[in-house]
Amino acid sequence: MATNGTNVTSATGLPPLPAYTVHEVQDLISWLPDFYLAIIAPTAAYWVVSIFFHIIDTLDCFPQYRLHTPAEITQRNKASRYEVLRDVIFQQVIQAIIGGILGMTDPPQYTGMEEYDVAVWATRIRLAQRALPAFLSVLGINAATISKNMAVSHPLLAAVLAGGQYPFITEFAGSSGMAVPAFATWELLLARAIYHVIIPAFQFFLAVTLLDTWQYFLHRLMHQNKWLYATFHSRHHRLYVPYAYGALYNHPVEGFLLDTAGAGLAYKISLLTPRQGMVFWVMSSIKTVDDHCGYALPWDPLQHITSNNAAYHDIHHQSWGIKTNFAQPFFTFWDKLLGTMWHGDTSLKYERSKARAQEYLDAEAKKASAKAQ
């Protein structure tokens, strides 16, 4: 625990920064340290969502929303369910190890400084206002005159135009009872929005963009380089008909490079906190499963937030679309920018695939029946 005293800044005319006492962040679950929760949560999320889709797949709950028929899964996929399960679990063991290593590099997390940090941002907002009169003068606007004219009718706006001068907003500092400058309500609201919303949102946006960029170019390289494709990436494409828990069915080397390393780098570069990282990894795991679920569910929010969804990625798993739709797991901007997005109607191609798979299974059934007789 550490304590910081009140920092009175009356000499500069700025409001004082508040005192604070810091202590280590408590674990989200009392009996499970956050260190282990961050390792377990992405895998748990992966299997919860996968089991949900496996159940509706097995019970054939929503056949009208299937991208492929059960016959296609049986006839077209070149990897058994056991092989898929084995490789996914192995990759998740690797992810857990790397997650633990990343967790050990994170500094201890403290709380108690939030109001102090908000006040720091409010101070920056106040300092930015001091530059406003000079900026407006460059545009030929006399901020001082406008401020005087508005002082009675719009005192806050007048204070902003005067360079952040709020003589009418004060507070009493500590036990001394001395009046010191205070922040305006709007300054604190904006500072809180910056600290609690805008900065975290930017961090997540950066993490998502970095992961998308990493995966797009490495994924595309594995298709362009014949050795990389034959040695590593072809294993994932043994699933011509993707299903939920096969999302991480990869060669271990590809799984480490494409998913684990990419997510780890995005986490570190975007300076996410361990708890933000936990959310990011869980979100990435769920999105990856959803992209391979094999269903275009109209009530699935993840399939509507972006155009990179199960239907979009499924095209990439088909022999006729394998050189397109490389983007994953969140957005499609790299496919759009670099011209690798599939264009055109796919309905006839899917119908032919379904018909061929059913014809094949019917023929096999007839052979088996004939032998039995």
Side-chain angles (χ1 to χ4, degrees):
M1 179 182 293
T3 303
N4 181 66
T6 302
N7 177 18
V8 180
T9 56
S10 58
T12 62
L14 294 170
L17 299 177
Y20 62 87
T21 300
V22 299
H23 51 84
E24 284 201 45
V25 173
Q26 297 296 308
D27 294 320
L28 285 171
I29 302 175
S30 60
W31 49 268
L32 181 63
D34 281 0
F35 174 82
Y36 295 107
L37 181 60
I39 295 172
I40 296 169
T43 299
Y46 184 97
W47 286 108
V48 166
V49 179
S50 292
I51 290 170
F52 166 76
F53 279 112
H54 184 67
I55 289 172
I56 67 171
D57 199 33
T58 303
L59 299 178
D60 201 18
C61 296
F62 303 105
Q64 68 272 33
Y65 301 128
R66 279 182 176 274
L67 297 176
H68 298 279
T69 62
E72 287 182 278
I73 297 175
T74 302
Q75 190 267 325
R76 297 183 62 204
N77 283 344
K78 307 305 178 185
S80 68
R81 296 271 184 172
Y82 166 76
E83 290 174 308
V84 172
L85 182 63
R86 177 199 63 197
D87 286 6
V88 168
I89 291 174
F90 185 71
Q91 179 166 335
Q92 289 178 329
V93 170
I94 295 173
Q95 287 181 337
I97 293 170
I98 300 302
I101 293 172
L102 287 174
M104 288 188 286
T105 66
D106 289 326
Q109 299 300 298
Y110 295 97
T111 186
M113 284 185 63
E114 290 79 10
E115 287 305 307
Y116 176 86
D117 290 334
V118 167
V120 169
W121 275 103
T123 300
R124 292 168 179 161
I125 294 167
R126 179 67 64 86
L127 290 172
Q129 294 171 69
R130 290 186 174 181
L132 188 59
F135 173 75
L136 291 176
S137 68
V138 174
L139 302 177
I141 300 173
N142 190 326
T145 301
I146 298 174
S147 175
K148 288 178 182 178
N149 293 335
M150 301 178 67
V152 176
S153 59
H154 299 87
L156 286 177
L157 184 55
V160 172
L161 292 171
Q165 302 299 322
Y166 297 84
F168 52 90
I169 301 180
T170 59
E171 64 184 357
F172 295 107
S175 59
S176 67
M178 182 175 64
V180 296
F183 293 111
T185 301
W186 77 267
E187 291 175 309
L188 288 173
L189 288 174
L190 179 56
R192 288 195 177 95
I194 292 171
Y195 182 75
H196 291 293
V197 179
I198 297 174
I199 292 176
F202 176 76
Q203 287 176 289
F204 277 109
F205 172 77
L206 179 60
V208 165
T209 302
L210 288 170
L211 180 58
D212 273 9
T213 301
W214 176 274
Q215 292 208 357
Y216 174 85
F217 286 101
L218 186 55
H219 184 196
R220 186 174 178 180
L221 177 63
M222 287 191 171
H223 278 275
Q224 292 176 326
N225 185 290
K226 292 182 179 180
W227 182 83
L228 287 175
Y229 183 81
T231 308
F232 302 120
H233 192 53
S234 60
R235 182 179 300 192
H236 184 68
H237 280 276
R238 293 176 71 192
L239 293 183
Y240 286 94
V241 183
Y243 47 83
Y245 73 81
L248 290 183
Y249 173 60
N250 299 308
H251 188 284
V253 173
E254 179 194 350
F256 171 75
L257 291 175
L258 195 65
D259 298 308
T260 309
L265 286 171
Y267 165 67
K268 285 296 185 181
I269 293 172
S270 57
L271 302 178
L272 294 172
T273 67
R275 285 190 179 173
Q276 288 174 327
M278 200 185 307
V279 172
F280 174 59
W281 291 324
V282 167
M283 183 174 61
S284 299
S285 295
I286 293 174
K287 185 66 170 63
T288 300
V289 171
D290 197 78
D291 288 348
H292 290 82
C293 71
Y295 285 85
L297 299 174
W299 38 263
D300 182 350
L302 292 179
Q303 301 206 14
H304 299 285
I305 293 173
T306 76
S307 57
N308 198 343
N309 50 33
Y312 184 87
H313 187 67
D314 191 84
I315 291 173
H316 176 73
H317 274 262
Q318 308 313 306
S319 58
W320 42 266
I322 199 168
K323 294 296 185 181
T324 64
N325 293 15
F326 296 111
Q328 59 184 71
F330 293 106
F331 299 102
T332 61
F333 61 90
W334 283 119
D335 276 327
K336 291 177 183 176
L337 288 172
L338 300 180
T340 54
M341 178 180 286
W342 173 271
H343 294 286
D345 183 44
T346 61
S347 56
L348 288 177
K349 294 179 182 294
Y350 276 104
E351 288 303 320
R352 290 193 202 103
S353 175
K354 292 173 183 177
R356 283 196 298 267
Q358 190 60 52
E359 288 171 4
Y360 176 84
L361 288 185
D362 290 343
E364 290 296 307
K366 287 181 181 179
K367 290 180 183 177
S369 178
K371 287 182 180 180
Q373 293 174 359

